[in-house]
Amino acid sequence: MKKLFILFLLTILSFSLFAEDGIASWYTADRKGALTANGEVFDTSAMTAAHRTLTFGSIVRVTDKATGASVEVRINDRGPYAEDRIIDLTPEAARQLGIYEKGIAEVTLEVLSEPETPETKYIRGLETGWYTIQIGTYTNIKNAYTVVENIKKAGLRPTVDIIDGPMVRISVMYIQSYRLESVLKTLEEAGITEPLVKGEVNPYSI
């Protein structure tokens, strides 16, 4: 009986903590010295990745469904924000997985380990240097649609949340501190002059 229990325990431990299927892509920083969501300097040669919700410091195995190739990466950033994608790799991780040239691939994610405390360079988890700009709340869907289109034309990516019934809230999320001033200026040029800047920043910080 004891041997069977040990075998059963080992079998459980051999499974990953979490599994997810979807599309992987790769990304890079828009400037030298840019920070990831956990406060590290983005490193194109590091084996790291961005995920929307996994704890910073989690080790994830990414397996290409078509080729069977896999890499292990550490989660230190948030994203991707395209709806059909589940993980963003650094250029080096994408090269090692063999998807750098084609850009995306169908993959399976397996969480191999997850720290009890998120790995972050910030003193407190919410101090991530990321901001959310709330544009406004609308009950007139036509007006809301116009605002969303104006934001898109300005080169920004709006987020629309349904608050209650026909009421929707429009925001621009995941703005790093060094981009905040330029984004606010872009919004002003698009006719949005009094948005609400939320200082608690990135909701996925921990």
Side-chain angles (χ1 to χ4, degrees):
M1 181 65 70
K2 185 176 180 181
K3 289 183 178 180
L4 287 175
F5 175 77
I6 293 174
L7 180 61
F8 176 69
L9 182 61
L10 290 174
T11 301
I12 291 176
L13 293 176
S14 68
F15 284 97
S16 60
L17 301 175
F18 168 89
E20 184 179 13
D21 292 332
I23 297 176
S25 53
W26 64 269
Y27 75 123
T28 191
D30 56 5
R31 73 179 181 109
K32 185 177 181 180
L35 301 181
T36 61
N38 78 335
E40 298 177 7
V41 175
F42 181 83
D43 184 354
T44 59
S45 64
M47 294 297 289
T48 57
H51 189 276
R52 289 188 183 92
T53 59
L54 287 174
T55 304
F56 291 140
S58 296
I59 303 300
V60 181
R61 179 186 294 125
V62 185
T63 302
D64 187 328
K65 288 187 174 184
T67 65
S70 66
V71 294
E72 292 182 12
V73 294
R74 180 174 58 87
I75 302 300
N76 71 342
D77 207 357
R78 291 305 180 209
Y81 301 117
E83 291 183 2
D84 61 339
R85 301 180 187 183
I86 60 173
I87 193 167
D88 258 342
L89 306 172
T90 60
E92 179 60 26
R95 288 189 184 96
Q96 291 196 27
L97 188 59
I99 70 168
Y100 183 82
E101 295 298 332
K102 58 183 178 180
I104 61 173
E106 288 278 350
V107 300
T108 295
L109 305 186
E110 299 170 275
V111 177
L112 304 181
S113 67
E114 186 175 13
E116 292 184 5
T117 303
E119 293 180 0
T120 175
K121 297 294 184 180
Y122 296 102
I123 297 174
R124 290 177 292 275
L126 289 177
E127 293 183 350
T128 62
W130 293 67
Y131 290 82
T132 291
I133 303 174
Q134 187 172 312
I135 307 302
T137 303
Y138 303 82
T139 55
N140 186 307
I141 299 302
K142 184 177 180 180
N143 290 345
Y145 178 80
T146 299
V147 172
V148 167
E149 289 302 305
N150 287 340
I151 294 173
K152 287 182 177 179
K153 289 177 183 177
L156 301 173
R157 181 179 297 157
T159 297
V160 180
D161 296 309
I162 299 175
I163 304 303
D164 183 23
M167 188 178 295
V168 298
R169 181 174 59 215
I170 300 173
S171 306
V172 178
M173 302 177 69
Y174 315 116
I175 305 299
Q176 288 174 292
S177 57
Y178 73 88
R179 295 181 56 219
L180 182 60
E181 186 176 345
S182 64
V183 171
L184 289 173
K185 184 177 180 181
T186 298
L187 289 171
E188 184 177 1
E189 292 171 351
I192 300 168
T193 57
E194 297 183 359
L196 174 63
V197 178
K198 299 179 67 176
E200 65 268 27
V201 300
N202 186 1
Y204 293 128
S205 61
I206 55 175

